[in-house]
Amino acid sequence: MKLGVNIDHVAVLREARKVNDPDILNALFVACQSGTDQITIHLREDRRHIQDADAYSIIKHSALPVNLECSINKSILEIVTDLKPHRATLVPEKREEVTTEGGLDVFGYEDEINYAIELLHDYIIPVSLFIDPTIEAVEKSKALGAEMVELHTGSFANIYAMLNSSLSHSNHSVKELQLPRYELSIRLEKSLTAITQAAKHAKKIGLEVAAGHGLNYHNVHEMMKIAEITELNIGQSIIAKSVFSGLAEAVREMKRLTTR
């Protein structure tokens, strides 16, 4: 299993005070030296964390492949074609959201996604689509010309946390998941089945398969059971753990958990 470490949240902390501390390049170097296989960053339209200069510096100095997440906004795509990352992952984006809330609407934005993929391919940049774990979305991704899909695991992660952690007793409890434990167990099983089926179908039709969003040290073992998933992209939980253990140890521990 390849591990992509998303270092966006180092930039979140930096931007909270608008100073160059912590330095995003220090995070890059530590992650690269601690066993990760790939660096993942998200260049958002509102530049809430990673800035243009960060993206250029990371891609220039990274000893490992860089997976650049981005929207289908044409101005962002122009930057991506100039950056030429190892891979571009097209994701949905809303200015008001705290984090990416779901998969890319590959049906509602077919023309825009098709344009983005063709443009990126013109610059020899492989494309992954960040999608909800459904057979239909997988098939559409293949038809649009993507080489890879990343299955959105946010729903799974929320259910898992409401069932197996103190989330339900916190200020961040997921209102729509305030359900009896037996109901949460049923939903968790359905969510895992959907991810598994989507991964199997993607592999069957020739797509590489990654997964990400909300994955952490407690739930990642469920993804390890799905053989067709060959890459995980994990950020917030690693950076959160690093506050207490240091980034190198946090990356090494996640790499240990994601080694088959």
Side-chain angles (χ1 to χ4, degrees), residues 129-142:
L129 299 185
F130 188 69
I131 60 171
D132 290 323
T134 69
I135 301 298
E136 294 79 11
V138 166
E139 290 183 340
K140 189 64 174 178
S141 299
K142 178 68 173 180

Side-chain angles (χ1 to χ4, degrees), residues 189-230:
E189 187 63 31
K190 288 182 178 179
S191 177
L192 284 169
T193 297
I195 294 169
T196 301
Q197 291 178 344
K200 288 181 179 296
H201 190 71
K203 181 71 173 180
K204 180 180 178 181
I205 63 176
L207 292 170
E208 292 184 67
V209 188
H213 201 82
L215 299 179
N216 58 40
Y217 297 87
H218 304 291
N219 64 27
V220 72
H221 66 278
E222 295 289 358
M223 297 300 106
M224 299 304 295
K225 299 174 184 177
I226 307 172
E228 290 76 15
I229 296 176
T230 58

Side-chain angles (χ1 to χ4, degrees), residues 104-163:
L104 190 64
D105 183 355
V106 291
F107 297 97
Y109 293 93
E110 178 180 354
D111 291 342
E112 292 88 345
I113 295 170
N114 185 65
Y115 169 83
I117 291 175
E118 288 185 353
L119 176 65
L120 292 166
H121 281 172
D122 284 344
Y123 285 83
I124 319 178
I125 302 171
V127 179
S128 176
L129 299 185
F130 188 69
I131 60 171
D132 290 323
T134 69
I135 301 298
E136 294 79 11
V138 166
E139 290 183 340
K140 189 64 174 178
S141 299
K142 178 68 173 180
L144 287 168
E147 290 90 353
M148 187 172 192
V149 291
E150 181 170 346
L151 303 178
H152 183 270
T153 53
S155 177
F156 151 76
N158 284 341
I159 299 169
Y160 189 97
M162 290 293 284
L163 184 62

